[in-house]
Amino acid sequence: MATTRGGKVTGGDGSTAKPHVLAVDDSSVDRAVITSLLRSSKYRVTAVDSAKRALELLGLEPNVNMVFTDYSMPGMTGYELLKTIKESSNLRQIPVVIMSSENVPTRINRCLEEGAEDFLLKPVRPSDVARLCKRVLH
Amino acid sequence: MGKYSSWDFKKRDHDAKVNMNGDASVQVDKRRGRICEHADICKGYLDDQFNQIEELQDEVSPNFVEEVVALFFKDSSRLLANIERVLEKYPRDFSRLDSLMYQLIGSVSSIGALRMKNECTSFRDHCSDGNLEGCKRSFQKVKREYTTLKQKLEKYFQWLRQAGPVEQATNSRK
């Protein structure tokens, strides 16, 4: 049974389980696209429409290996979600990628400083998603 | 978009040249339903991002393009209606107008609708300038681009459906 939280995934018997990626975006179009991108790389994907729901899921599911989150969302932003994850003793190991349609260097730096794995500009390219997942999950 | 029922992409391993309504022949990668790179209907209106969406359509998600386009129309019509309402009721609330347009630009970019995106950006520029007349003019253009885009996409889906029976099959790959 896969018990590793965040990053590389190995089953208790040494086999590799399918990594579970959580996608967070308030746009239904973007959720559909990121989900499809991740599924075509053979990951198990859960997509939610808010940071609040993401935290609820993270609280219940013991095995999320990676998070992709939009930066600008109503309510809790992707940055606030990142902070909450990194400040939590059980969740901080989970790599978090921030996505944004705005190229704002101060924003990018702030996210990286807060511990984001990477920052992707939207619309995200399949090659960027594949590259990141490969780096983090394998 | 509800009138489009799912269709089966014929799973062929070759590209097919199809003559549609006397228009210039269009090369269709029928496994993926990719025609936008080759068809004039999309030129200037849909950029490479739309191709990326076409690329994501496969045996596991055979109706992906249609589904994403349906989501886009649903989101956009909602946002456009909201913007229209705010322009009527709170015309000088530029911050709210800008925020709504920002959301719309997100979906528009994700689908690759280039011309519509440019008009949306224009609208946001007028918001930052506090130019209400500019916003109203821009908004009319945004709506026009949206209507044109809908027509183009409807035609795109029509062509895909018509590409069912293949007259000529070639082995050429793109």
Side-chain angles (χ1 to χ4, degrees), chain A residues 9-125:
Chain A
V9 183
T10 45
D13 59 359
S15 64
T16 40
K18 235 194 232 185
H20 182 197
V21 183
L22 176 62
V24 191
D25 202 315
D26 61 313
S27 157
S28 60
V29 173
D30 289 347
R31 270 200 311 279
V33 173
I34 188 85
T35 299
S36 179
L37 276 176
L38 292 165
R39 283 215 181 111
S40 65
S41 303
K42 312 279 191 268
Y43 303 127
R44 180 158 83 93
V45 188
T46 303
V48 297
D49 65 0
S50 70
K52 179 164 177 274
R53 277 204 224 274
L55 288 173
E56 282 166 11
L57 190 124
L58 288 165
L60 298 168
E61 279 253 7
N63 59 349
V64 170
N65 304 107
M66 193 167 179
V67 174
F68 278 80
T69 180
D70 188 25
Y71 181 90
S72 302
M73 294 186 290
M76 195 186 238
T77 65
Y79 174 75
E80 287 159 355
L81 173 62
L82 166 71
K83 262 193 97 172
T84 307
I85 289 175
K86 294 302 166 185
E87 283 168 5
S88 150
S89 51
N90 353 349
L91 303 176
R92 70 163 58 109
Q93 300 311 316
I94 305 179
V96 180
V97 174
I98 311 273
M99 306 176 288
S100 174
S101 51
E102 293 179 311
N103 188 349
V104 182
T106 47
R107 174 187 294 183
I108 298 174
N109 286 330
R110 200 156 55 110
C111 289
L112 294 174
E113 275 163 26
E114 200 61 46
E117 178 66 32
D118 212 323
F119 191 102
L120 293 181
L121 281 178
K122 280 174 151 189
V124 296
R125 278 187 308 222

Side-chain angles (χ1 to χ4, degrees), chain B residues 11 18 24 30 37 40 45 49 52-53 77 79 81-82 94 96 120 124 154 172:
Chain B
K11 310 287 191 289
V18 185
K30 288 179 63 269
E37 285 176 23
D40 280 341
Y45 287 89
Q49 181 59 23
Q52 303 283 358
I53 293 184
S77 54
L79 286 164
N82 285 348
F94 292 109
R96 198 195 290 205
C120 292
R124 287 191 78 202
E154 278 166 16
S172 59

Side-chain angles (χ1 to χ4, degrees), chain B residues 53-64:
Chain B
I53 293 184
E54 288 177 296
E55 292 276 341
L56 289 171
Q57 186 157 291
D58 60 14
E59 306 76 42
V60 178
S61 315
N63 304 308
F64 185 67

Side-chain angles (χ1 to χ4, degrees), chain B residues 6-142:
Chain B
S6 315
W7 65 84
D8 257 324
F9 276 108
K10 303 281 190 299
K11 310 287 191 289
R12 314 248 173 142
D13 287 341
H14 48 257
D15 291 349
K17 275 210 174 88
V18 185
N19 215 306
M20 316 234 201
N21 303 327
D23 295 323
S25 66
V26 173
Q27 209 148 16
V28 180
D29 177 338
K30 288 179 63 269
R31 203 162 24 100
R32 299 284 182 103
R34 265 166 54 207
I35 66 170
C36 258
E37 285 176 23
H38 313 285
D40 280 341
I41 51 167
C42 302
K43 269 209 178 80
Y45 287 89
L46 292 164
D47 65 16
D48 187 58
Q49 181 59 23
F50 190 78
N51 295 132
Q52 303 283 358
I53 293 184
E54 288 177 296
E55 292 276 341
L56 289 171
Q57 186 157 291
D58 60 14
E59 306 76 42
V60 178
S61 315
N63 304 308
F64 185 67
V65 181
E66 190 185 10
E67 286 162 7
V68 173
V69 170
L71 287 170
F72 167 72
F73 284 135
K74 186 165 167 224
D75 264 3
S76 304
S77 54
R78 176 182 53 90
L79 286 164
L80 287 169
N82 285 348
I83 294 172
E84 186 118 55
R85 202 168 18 245
V86 174
L87 274 170
E88 240 172 275
K89 290 182 92 181
Y90 315 104
R92 301 216 80 90
D93 193 342
F94 292 109
S95 146
R96 198 195 290 205
L97 287 168
D98 184 71
S99 164
L100 286 167
M101 189 50 86
Y102 174 77
Q103 285 180 60
L104 181 59
I105 286 186
S107 297
V108 171
S109 304
S110 296
I111 205 134
L114 188 58
R115 282 176 63 123
M116 190 172 166
K117 182 179 174 180
N118 290 337
E119 292 305 337
C120 292
T121 303
S122 225
F123 181 95
R124 287 191 78 202
D125 290 340
H126 292 308
C127 285
S128 352
D129 294 338
N131 178 355
L132 179 59
E133 282 317 304
C135 281
K136 286 180 174 171
R137 270 196 316 268
S138 226
F139 186 61
Q140 293 311 312
K141 290 188 186 164
V142 169

